[in-house]
């Protein structure tokens, strides 16, 4: 599994990001998820002033705290908050207390099938939750806002994709109104993230189940989570009028070929 993951890993090199991160306070929502967690780990490599972490999952937040304690070699100040982005009052208190300069908004319900069956909960969390964070921002201090979106936001055919598309429009409009750097970054299939195709196949193999390939000709784009987050962190430095950015994920790969390699 790890060898196959490495075949997709590119040689992306970290740029000097001190220009917009040095001595800044960074807030990450959904920080204990697979995407938010990797943002935390990579952000710790830079000379930021403070890292503010928000997540609603107690167990994952506890594990993240232990991991950050081991990785925080520069002794950056880190604050952990167990709360939901739907708790507008609490989010406002956190932002007013720490005045973040950079926000990465990764909090979302992203499993297509679950959101489809619980559409009201998904809509409220993904849209109202984002709205809460946006309107609670201290715009005198905020310099960059990065919204983690999805390739499913393109002509959305499901509720999750629709909520991400609405989120992109909200972020774009905030950018126009406030003339701040508000951007959306669309993800494709990130290897190793929770709910990713690789993780589904791996669990099926571990449990002696058949691998579910719905079409032998279906293809997907893949990228390692390390490379994807590396690009996300670089995104505020891109000098472009485009406020929706798409990760360059290389060439598409046949899902059937991936299934065969994993079985082998």
């Amino acid at each position: 599994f790890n060898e196959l993951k490495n075949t997709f890993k590119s040689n992306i090199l970290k740029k000097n990001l001190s220009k917009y991160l040095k001595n800044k306070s960074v807030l990450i929502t959904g920080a204990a998820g697979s995407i938010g967690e990797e943002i935390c780990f990579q952000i710790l490599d830079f000379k930021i002033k403070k890292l503010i972490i928000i997540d609603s999952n107690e167990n994952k937040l506890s594990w993240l705290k232990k991991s950050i304690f081991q990785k925080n070699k520069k002794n950056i100040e880190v604050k952990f908050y167990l709360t939901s982005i739907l708790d507008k009052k609490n989010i406002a208190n956190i932002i007013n207390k720490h005045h973040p300069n950079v926000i990465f908004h990764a909090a979302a319900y992203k499993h297509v099938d679950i959101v489809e069956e619980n559409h009201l909960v998904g809509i409220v969390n993904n849209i109202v939750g984002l709205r809460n964070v946006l309107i609670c921002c201290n715009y005198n201090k905020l310099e960059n806002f990065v919204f983690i979106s999805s390739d499913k936001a393109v002509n959305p055919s499901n509720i999750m994709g629709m909520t991400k598309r609405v989120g992109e429009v909200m972020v774009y409009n905030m950018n126009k109104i406030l003339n701040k750097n508000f951007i959306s970054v669309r993800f494709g299939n990130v290897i190793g993230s929770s709910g990713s195709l690789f993780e589904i196949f791996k669990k099926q193999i571990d449990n002696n189940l058949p691998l579910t390939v719905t079409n032998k000709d279906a293809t997907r784009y893949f990228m390692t989570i390390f490379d994807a987050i590396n690009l996300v962190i670089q995104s505020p430095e891109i000098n472009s009028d485009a406020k929706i950015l798409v990760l360059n994920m290389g060439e598409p790969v046949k899902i059937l070929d991936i299934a065969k390699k994993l079985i082998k």
Side-chain angles (χ1 to χ4, degrees):
F1 178 62
N2 288 328
E3 288 177 4
L4 192 57
K5 281 170 65 177
N6 289 334
T7 64
F8 291 97
K9 189 166 185 176
S10 68
N11 294 317
I12 295 174
L13 298 176
K14 289 187 176 181
K15 292 182 178 180
N16 182 3
L17 301 176
S18 60
K19 183 178 179 181
Y20 89 95
L21 284 175
K22 188 175 182 180
N23 297 324
K24 303 296 184 181
S25 295
V26 181
L27 183 145
I28 303 171
T29 69
S34 51
I35 292 172
E37 179 184 70
E38 185 63 27
I39 296 175
C40 291
F41 294 158
Q42 293 196 31
I43 284 289
L44 288 174
D45 289 340
F46 306 106
K47 295 179 181 179
I48 65 170
K49 178 182 178 181
K50 185 191 300 182
L51 180 60
I52 305 110
I53 286 172
I54 294 175
D55 203 279
S56 60
N57 188 308
E58 182 191 13
N59 289 334
K60 287 186 176 181
L61 193 63
S62 176
W63 279 108
L64 177 61
K65 186 174 183 179
K66 292 180 177 67
S67 299
I68 285 181
F69 179 78
Q70 295 174 338
K71 295 176 183 290
N72 190 8
K73 305 300 182 183
K74 297 181 179 179
N75 295 318
I76 293 166
E77 181 183 359
V78 184
K79 297 294 183 180
F80 297 85
Y81 290 96
L82 178 64
T83 189
S84 167
I85 55 175
L86 296 180
D87 189 339
K88 182 181 173 183
K89 183 177 180 180
N90 208 9
I91 294 297
N93 288 338
I94 294 167
I95 290 176
N96 289 332
K97 181 177 181 179
H98 297 289
H99 306 298
N101 309 110
V102 182
I103 294 179
F104 292 92
H105 183 71
Y109 291 147
K110 62 179 184 178
H111 293 268
V112 172
D113 56 336
I114 299 298
V115 174
E116 205 69 20
E117 294 177 8
N118 300 271
H119 54 272
L120 184 58
V121 175
I123 290 169
V124 170
N125 186 77
N126 292 3
I127 297 177
V128 178
L130 170 61
R131 178 181 180 274
N132 287 344
V133 177
L134 286 172
I135 65 178
C136 289
C137 289
N138 181 336
Y139 296 116
N140 293 322
K141 296 288 186 179
L142 185 68
E143 298 167 8
N144 296 280
F145 187 101
V146 181
F147 171 59
I148 305 299
S149 187
S150 165
D151 57 0
K152 295 178 178 65
V154 183
N155 298 321
S157 59
N158 52 63
I159 298 296
M160 193 282 282
M162 180 273 292
T163 63
K164 288 295 186 180
R165 180 60 190 140
V166 172
E168 289 178 351
V169 173
M170 292 165 64
V171 171
Y172 177 78
N173 285 332
M174 291 297 285
N175 181 79
K176 291 182 67 177
I177 293 168
L178 298 166
N179 198 26
K180 296 275 187 175
N181 194 25
F182 283 72
I183 59 175
S184 300
V185 180
R186 285 179 179 167
F187 270 60
N189 289 283
V190 177
I191 301 169
S193 65
S194 68
S196 70
L197 178 67
F198 268 64
E199 290 297 302
I200 292 171
F201 280 172
K202 187 173 184 295
K203 286 178 181 178
Q204 289 173 336
I205 290 172
D206 289 344
N207 290 283
N208 265 343
L209 297 172
L211 271 62
T212 50
V213 180
T214 55
N215 189 310
K216 64 183 180 65
D217 296 319
T219 60
R220 289 290 184 274
Y221 292 90
F222 292 93
M223 178 176 277
T224 66
I225 193 165
F226 176 88
D227 285 344
I229 299 308
N230 186 253
L231 290 174
V232 166
I233 294 174
Q234 291 180 29
S235 60
E237 286 200 324
I238 296 174
N239 185 17
S240 171
D241 292 333
K243 294 304 173 184
I244 299 176
L245 305 178
V246 182
L247 301 181
N248 184 345
M249 307 189 76
E251 297 299 321
V253 182
K254 271 194 172 185
I255 293 176
L256 183 61
D257 291 343
I258 291 173
K260 288 179 179 177
K261 287 180 181 179
L262 280 171
I263 291 169
K264 185 177 179 180

